[in-house]
Amino acid sequence: MTLRSTRRGFLRSSAAAVPILAFSPSAKAWLTCTQAAADAVAIPGLDGVLLTSASDRAAAADDWGHIVSETPLAVLVPASIDDVRKAIKFANQHCIKVGPMSMVGNSHSTQGQSQAACGLVIDMSGLSEIHAINANDAVVDPGVRWYELLQQTLPLGKSPPVLTDHIDLSVGGTLSVGGIGGQTARHGLQADNVLELWVVTGEGQLKQCSASQNPGLFNAVRGGLGQFGVIVKARVKLIAVKPLARHYTAVYADVATLIADQVKLMNEGRFDYVEGLGLPQPDDSYVLLLEAVKYFSADAPPDDAAMLAGLAFIPGTSAADTQTLYDFYNRLAPIVDFTKFTGDWFLPHPLTDFFLPRSKAAAFIEETLANTPVADIGFGPVLIYPFPRSKVTAPFVALPNEPICVLFSLLRWAPNADPAVAADLVAKNREVFEAMRAIGGKRYSIGSVVLSHADWVGHFGLKWPFYLAEKLVHDPQNTLTPGQHIFSW
């Protein structure tokens, strides 16, 4: 079924804009019709818009973290896959770094991962069409937001198997890093539920890949942090879902008991969604909350007593409510809207996420929370929930070497815009990172931790030679995604 285009119509051109006609490699500058240079190289014809104004470049030098600011030379808002291919090929030929960004000014990375200092940022929101919704999959552009896809699929009783808690994120962005959520214990990451990808490599070649076609590239790009190619279209899996969500919460006395019950529920498959929260309190303690959801139809509601039977939460603390499935998926939208209204949304977010080995997780989390006062968390809660390592098939998503891993996220939210405050929280993230690494944990690569090359080599461990080999095959000039700072040439 072919759908009408949802591509955003805000390609930010104007009648007053001066056309960009060439690039000067020596000056590292784009040239207009009123300029000239001895080494001027004509740029390829584009369907979209190349933006070079100070305001557009400043917007591309920001992300959700509001911590790192690396100003590019220009921003491309593509109107076609061919635009992306031409732009990357041109950049590769002229030593221009390229940073793909889900939406200029709204990238959900937090430490400049999508930025490209003195390079070219590609605003992937220019490609945001839902091409088809089929019985078991959907074909979408990388700039499509998950909530936009859900608005098309839920009326048909279909949904992607896994969603992040915040669904106003792009398909291409989350597939590039992994994409984790409360359904991961059953279905893996979002990157494990993509069936086919169209990718522009670092040399500007458009390639189609899947588990059976170009499988090396397919495996490299899923969770590969944008180092091997830019996703320009994806075929994502869809599964049948019920229209309603019964949402349960309960308070726990300690982390070990919370994780034990989460693992019990994970093994039984009792719920469709299982997460856990640590809610910071004014006295610097944390309320530990189980959050579990069962999807259902109106004619077959779940039995609350049966759903919570055998769990070791504090008696009298359980609660349950019913929402439409879309309202549950989109439950953070009112909070986001409120923080945007107050301006708090635009404060720095030096969050950090880790994957811990289950055997060490409870003690590590308890100790970390004991040393993390509410001032160091702000609006952001703490996330705590387990998932089986076997569910994650994307090879370059680094995980602890145990059968069960535990996500532990410190969703820090700075109290003000003082750069010194954000820098202090990033430094504290580094301390937690080093302690986490000492117990065999791994970092989920979206947060605010400054890593050296040696840190990255250790992050990938035995897979580093394979990661490097794929880089040399698909992006030998190291054109793509410099903001991750994985490679230096």
Side-chain angles (χ1 to χ4, degrees):
M1 179 173 68
T2 301
L3 306 179
R4 67 177 178 83
S5 171
T6 61
R7 191 170 73 82
R8 294 164 179 82
F10 61 81
L11 298 183
R12 285 159 294 186
S13 60
S14 69
V18 178
I20 303 300
L21 300 180
F23 176 76
S24 169
S26 62
K28 286 285 185 180
W30 303 96
L31 307 177
T32 71
C33 56
T34 61
Q35 298 171 313
D39 62 347
V41 180
I43 65 170
L46 299 171
D47 300 315
V49 182
L50 191 66
L51 307 171
T52 58
S53 72
S55 59
D56 288 317
R57 293 166 59 223
D62 194 16
D63 56 27
W64 195 60
H66 307 305
I67 300 166
V68 174
S69 181
E70 300 282 5
T71 304
L73 294 173
V75 180
L76 171 66
V77 185
S80 65
I81 289 176
D82 205 40
D83 277 355
V84 178
R85 184 190 63 77
K86 289 178 180 178
I88 293 178
K89 184 175 182 179
F90 184 87
N92 179 262
Q93 292 172 338
H94 299 289
C95 300
I96 303 169
K97 301 295 185 182
V98 176
M101 184 175 284
S102 60
M103 185 175 181
V104 166
N106 196 38
S107 171
H108 208 67
S109 57
T110 63
Q111 197 69 23
Q113 291 96 328
S114 297
Q115 297 173 29
C118 297
L120 176 68
V121 163
I122 303 179
D123 183 347
M124 299 304 292
S125 64
L127 300 180
S128 54
E129 182 176 345
I130 299 175
H131 296 276
I133 295 177
N134 306 309
N136 299 307
D137 64 70
V139 180
V140 300
D141 280 346
V144 169
R145 304 289 181 169
W146 292 100
Y147 80 86
E148 294 172 328
L149 180 58
L150 287 165
Q151 289 172 346
Q152 299 283 351
T153 64
L154 286 180
L156 304 175
K158 303 286 186 178
S159 170
V162 181
L163 294 163
T164 53
D165 290 330
H166 184 43
I167 59 174
D168 189 16
L169 302 179
S170 71
V171 170
T174 54
L175 294 181
S176 295
V177 297
I180 191 167
Q183 306 99 327
T184 290
R186 299 189 69 173
H187 301 288
L189 304 175
Q190 288 182 318
D192 300 311
N193 290 278
V194 61
L195 304 174
E196 190 174 18
L197 292 170
W198 288 255
V199 175
V200 176
T201 68
E203 293 184 300
Q205 298 178 355
L206 175 62
K207 294 187 177 182
Q208 199 168 339
C209 58
S210 65
S212 58
Q213 180 181 9
N214 292 320
L217 179 61
F218 182 67
N219 286 329
V221 171
R222 296 182 302 127
L225 307 180
Q227 292 299 316
F228 314 108
V230 175
I231 296 170
V232 291
K233 192 188 295 184
R235 185 185 303 276
V236 297
K237 183 187 292 187
L238 297 177
I239 60 172
V241 290
K242 304 294 178 60
L244 299 173
R246 187 69 169 161
H247 176 241
Y248 299 86
T249 58
V251 177
Y252 279 72
D254 58 78
V255 175
T257 306
L258 172 62
I259 293 177
D261 270 4
Q262 290 173 322
V263 171
K264 174 184 174 71
L265 296 175
M266 178 182 79
N267 291 336
E268 294 176 355
R270 192 186 305 186
F271 289 96
D272 296 291
Y273 166 106
V274 176
E275 286 197 9
L277 300 172
L279 303 177
Q281 304 300 300
D283 65 354
D284 291 333
S285 66
Y286 289 80
V287 171
L288 301 172
L289 198 70
L290 172 71
E291 187 178 30
V293 181
K294 181 67 176 177
Y295 309 153
F296 71 100
S297 300
D299 59 351
D303 181 323
D304 291 347
M307 295 306 295
L308 296 176
L311 299 181
F313 54 82
I314 298 173
T317 64
S318 64
D321 64 88
T322 295
Q323 309 169 44
T324 68
L325 185 56
Y326 182 78
D327 285 343
F328 168 68
Y329 285 159
N330 200 36
R331 63 197 178 279
L332 295 186
I335 299 172
V336 171
D337 290 342
F338 177 75
T339 57
K340 285 182 178 179
F341 174 76
T342 61
D344 293 320
W345 181 259
F346 305 101
L347 294 173
H349 302 92
L351 60 81
T352 188
D353 310 77
F354 303 111
F355 297 131
L356 307 176
R358 190 217 167 166
S359 65
K360 306 288 183 63
F364 182 87
I365 293 170
E366 291 278 12
E367 181 179 357
T368 302
L369 294 184
N371 293 312
T372 305
V374 64
D376 287 352
I377 291 293
F379 292 106
V382 172
L383 299 181
I384 304 165
Y385 56 91
F387 60 93
R389 192 180 195 277
S390 61
K391 293 291 184 181
V392 178
T393 62
F396 290 139
V397 176
L399 296 172
N401 191 26
E402 285 195 8
I404 296 176
C405 306
V406 177
L407 175 76
F408 176 45
S409 299
L410 297 170
L411 303 184
R412 302 187 195 268
W413 198 310
N416 56 56
D418 184 351
V421 172
D424 177 64
L425 294 176
V426 172
K428 289 176 178 176
N429 285 345
R430 177 72 198 196
E431 293 175 4
V432 180
F433 166 80
E434 291 177 357
M436 173 277 305
R437 187 169 54 179
I439 65 166
K442 294 291 184 178
R443 172 179 173 261
Y444 183 41
S445 302
I446 65 170
S448 294
V449 178
V450 179
L451 299 186
S452 67
H453 177 71
D455 290 331
W456 278 113
V457 173
H459 171 80
F460 289 108
L462 295 177
K463 292 184 178 179
W464 171 255
F466 302 98
Y467 194 84
L468 175 59
E470 293 292 343
K471 183 70 170 180
L472 294 174
V473 169
H474 301 297
D475 184 24
Q477 293 278 79
N478 191 23
T479 298
L480 299 176
T481 320
Q484 292 280 3
H485 300 292
I486 299 175
F487 301 99
S488 58
W489 71 84

